């Protein structure tokens, strides 16, 4: 028996979750941060809170059969991992993407548990989705798929139990079809069972913008510590979905200039600054590809043989997917003089890239802190649903702004106390771990 409470935890996680490298990666990052906390709070190690946190409370995997427009029967796999409910009902998005599998959903649910704790709101952690590719599917096909998925999922969710929302491939349209089916099966207009709803039927103003807005606000706070600001900064944002679009909007409002964004087909470099109205029209209204944006602007569309991170910038915002910013990308960013990287996506930066950026003195905002504005505003949506109220855009945005500042300051304070000042990775992991594990101890052996 060794004195190091973490000695066997990682090996056990790998052994118990074979073939799930993303989940191993997410756990490893947390384990490397919490040593100093366990040294100070040995009771948390004795209670084996970390081993318990690494094991989801419940995992649901189910068949999703549906019929395409040609009348062919299709079968997908649905997932919901209910990770931790010590602080509140399971909460987290649903992802529709062909890459979705148990390991992806588990890493996302694990991250979500810490992220939700960081918001300071009464939220547990969960995640779900399906290996369904929505690209090229008609509205009718999307509706039938969502209805089939909810026909199983409904029995596991509810406003006091588990509250899904959107993620990659799931936005207001999908939440609408999911909510409609939930309402139909349960015969309950239970608004708080899903967030990210349309504002006409129980959704909160600002939820659509919240993740991207919160991300820019978090970056602004990181820069403020260094007596800098987003104003006048050249920025690169990867992705062009919900998070990326509203990150660009807020960066522009704060005086920064975003000169590139991307989708899975490649990126566009627009040195004069991304034309946000055009980007919204292409991506949100027409559901088209970045090629169309490039054509409309008379620009070159770089397909995926290069990297968007080769474009010189002061601040980088990876907002597409996991492990999209590699060690080689980090090297180029540092060589080009980047001063901050803030993660809009979940775990977009590989571990060696994070180390390189932090060693080079780059301010690094990990996703579980920097992109927490989305889920925090989901909690504000739940508050409005519970009180049958609807707040103004200004009021809700002011709440979001205060929450992001508080998350930043809490992470910074923990980094000063337990690690190196400004190490937000350690700060976020430590605050999340302390909040979840203290609640788990208080609730008895759960
Ligand atoms: P969207 O589906 O709206 O947009 C995703 C964007 O990322 C698209 O531009 C998409 O390109 C690109 N992308 C997705 N997967 C890949 C891939 N494998 N390779 C290359 N590009 C890819 O999703 P969101 O904007 O909602 O989510 C983006 C990230 O932010 C995810 O990591 C998500 O978990 C995270 N996040 C989302 C929150 C939310 O509230 N929505 C909250 C916090 C984090 P294409 O269309 O070509 O596939
Ligand atoms: O990763 C995330 O935080 C989300 N996809 C949002 C989750 C939510 O419940 O709003």
């Amino acid at each position: 028996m060794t004195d190091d409470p973490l000695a066997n935890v990682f090996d056990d996680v790998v052994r118990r979750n074979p073939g799930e490298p993303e989940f191993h990666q997410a756990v490893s990052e947390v384990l490397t941060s919490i040593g100093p906390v366990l040294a100070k709070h040995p009771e948390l190690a004795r209670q084996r809170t970390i081993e318990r946190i690494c094991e989801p409370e419940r995992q649901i995997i189910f068949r999703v059969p549906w019929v395409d427009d040609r009348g062919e029967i299709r079968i997908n796999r649905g997932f919901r991992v209910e990770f931790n409910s010590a602080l509140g009902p399971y909460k987290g998005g649903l992802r529709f993407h062909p890459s979705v599998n148990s390991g992806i959903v588990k890493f996302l649910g694990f991250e979500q548990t810490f992220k939700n704790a960081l918001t300071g709101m009464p939220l547990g952690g969960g995640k779900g989705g399906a290996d369904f590719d929505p690209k090229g599917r008609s509205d009718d096909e999307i509706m039938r798929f969502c209805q089939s998925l909810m026909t199983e999922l409904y029995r596991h969710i509810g406003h006091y139990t588990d509250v899904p929302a959107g993620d990659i491939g799931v936005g207001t349209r999908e939440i609408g079809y999911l909510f409609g089916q939930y309402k139909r099966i349960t015969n309950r207009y239970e608004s708080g069972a899903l967030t990210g709803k349309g504002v006409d039927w129980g959704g909160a103003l600002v939820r659509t913008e919240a993740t991207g807005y919160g991300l820019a606000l978090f970056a602004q706070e990181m820069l403020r510590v260094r007596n800098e600001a987003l104003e006048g900064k050249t920025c690169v944002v990867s992705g062009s979905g919900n998070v990326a679009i509203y990150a660009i909007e807020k960066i522009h409002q704060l005086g920064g200039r975003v000169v590139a964004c991307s989708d899975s087909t490649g990126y566009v470099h627009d040195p004069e600054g991304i034309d946000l109205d055009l980007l919204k029209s292409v991506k949100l209204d027409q559901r088209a590809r970045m090629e169309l944006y490039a054509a409309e602007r008379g620009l070159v569309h770089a397909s995926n043989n290069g990297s968007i991170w080769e474009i010189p910038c002061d601040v980088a915002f990876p907002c597409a997917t996991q492990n999209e910013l590699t060690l080689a990308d980090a090297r180029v960013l540092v060589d080009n003089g980047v001063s901050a990287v803030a993660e809009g996506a979940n775990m977009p930066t590989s571990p060696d890239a994070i180390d390189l950026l932090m060693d080079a003195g780059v301010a690094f905002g990990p996703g579980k802190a920097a992109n927490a504005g989305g889920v925090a505003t989901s909690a504000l949506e739940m508050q409005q649903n519970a009180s049958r109220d609807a707040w103004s855009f200004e009021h809700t945005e002011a709440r979001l702004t205060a929450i992001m500042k508080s998350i930043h300051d809490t992470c910074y304070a923990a980094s000063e106390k337990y690690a190196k000042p400004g190490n937000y990775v350690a700060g976020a992991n430590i605050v999340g771990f302390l909040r979840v594990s203290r609640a788990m101890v208080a609730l008895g052996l759960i």
Side-chain angles (χ1 to χ4, degrees), residues 95 97 115 135 167-169 207 211 239-243 262-264 289 319-321 344-346 371:
R95 176 178 290 193
H97 194 272
K115 180 194 308 193
K135 280 199 191 81
D167 194 81
I168 290 175
R207 176 62 190 89
T211 311
S240 51
N242 172 266
V243 179
S262 61
D263 62 19
S264 59
R289 322 297 302 154
C319 295
T321 196
N346 287 307
N371 73 33

Side-chain angles (χ1 to χ4, degrees), residues 44 193 204 224 230 330 364 373 407 412 446:
L44 297 178
R224 201 194 305 280
L230 274 172
F364 181 80
I407 294 172
Y412 192 88
I446 57 170

Side-chain angles (χ1 to χ4, degrees), residues 11-333:
D11 289 347
D12 279 352
V13 166
V14 172
R15 186 177 51 77
R16 293 162 69 85
N17 302 275
E20 298 184 347
E22 293 86 1
F23 181 47
H24 306 161
Q25 180 181 336
V27 170
S28 164
E29 187 207 281
V30 168
L31 293 181
T32 54
S33 299
I34 61 172
V37 183
L38 292 178
K40 223 177 180 135
H41 300 283
E43 74 284 2
L44 297 178
R46 270 198 305 277
Q47 291 272 353
R48 301 190 67 181
T49 54
I50 185 64
E51 290 93 329
R52 283 194 267 154
I53 288 172
C54 290
E55 184 69 22
E57 285 177 22
R58 189 179 297 116
Q59 304 179 58
I60 302 142
I61 302 181
F62 52 99
R63 179 170 65 217
V64 187
W66 57 284
V67 180
D68 72 15
D69 284 347
R70 293 183 320 185
E72 300 274 347
I73 291 175
R74 306 250 171 188
I75 292 135
N76 285 95
R77 187 170 289 175
F79 300 86
R80 189 72 185 165
V81 175
E82 298 183 331
F83 227 102
N84 196 297
S85 61
L87 289 172
Y90 312 107
K91 181 84 194 88
L94 295 171
R95 176 178 290 193
F96 291 172
H97 194 272
S99 63
V100 166
N101 59 35
S102 280
I104 300 268
V105 180
K106 237 185 255 176
F107 112 69
L108 289 164
F110 183 79
E111 293 266 308
Q112 196 83 48
T113 301
F114 291 80
K115 180 194 308 193
N116 294 2
L118 275 175
T119 66
M121 296 161 113
L123 300 170
K127 201 85 187 192
D131 61 353
F132 168 70
D133 188 356
K135 280 199 191 81
R137 291 288 167 204
S138 69
D139 264 12
D140 283 349
E141 289 178 316
I142 299 284
M143 181 182 75
R144 288 196 293 273
F145 180 80
C146 289
Q147 289 177 339
S148 180
L149 183 114
M150 186 53 84
T151 301
E152 170 61 32
L153 189 64
Y154 88 95
R155 66 187 88 247
H156 308 289
I157 67 172
H159 66 162
Y160 289 124
T161 313
D162 183 355
V163 184
D167 194 81
I168 290 175
V170 177
T172 310
R173 174 182 61 172
E174 290 73 20
I175 295 294
Y177 296 145
L178 291 163
F179 183 66
Q181 185 73 348
Y182 182 79
K183 186 182 82 59
R184 205 170 161 204
I185 298 174
T186 60
N187 194 30
R188 285 163 63 87
Y189 206 106
E190 189 188 330
S191 302
L194 287 158
T195 61
K197 299 180 294 297
V199 287
D200 296 333
W201 37 276
L205 288 168
V206 189
R207 176 62 190 89
T208 302
E209 296 84 354
T211 311
Y213 276 24
L215 173 66
L217 295 166
F218 191 91
Q220 181 82 326
E221 291 304 314
M222 289 200 302
L223 291 168
R224 201 194 305 280
V225 171
R226 301 170 169 229
N227 296 316
E228 292 182 60
L230 274 172
E231 188 166 6
K233 293 273 192 297
T234 299
C235 303
V236 167
V237 174
S238 66
S240 51
N242 172 266
V243 179
I245 285 175
Y246 293 100
I248 296 170
E249 184 160 288
K250 183 52 81 181
I251 293 164
H252 285 176
Q253 284 173 16
L254 293 171
R257 184 158 50 133
V258 178
V259 298
C261 65
S262 61
D263 62 19
S264 59
T265 64
Y267 65 86
V268 173
H269 184 191
D270 193 341
E272 286 172 18
I274 294 289
D275 177 339
L276 196 59
D277 288 339
L278 176 61
L279 185 67
K280 284 183 180 175
S281 156
V282 168
K283 299 305 294 190
L284 302 180
D285 303 338
Q286 303 177 60
R287 296 183 186 270
R289 322 297 302 154
M290 283 307 291
E291 271 118 325
L292 180 60
Y293 178 94
E296 295 278 334
R297 295 277 287 166
L299 297 164
V300 175
H301 174 258
S303 57
N304 271 333
N305 43 17
S307 163
I308 192 173
W309 309 117
E310 286 161 17
I311 298 165
C313 66
D314 303 311
V315 189
F317 295 89
C319 295
T321 196
Q322 60 275 358
N323 291 322
E324 54 160 311
L325 198 164
T326 64
L327 180 63
D329 296 324
R331 242 181 231 128
V332 180
L333 284 170

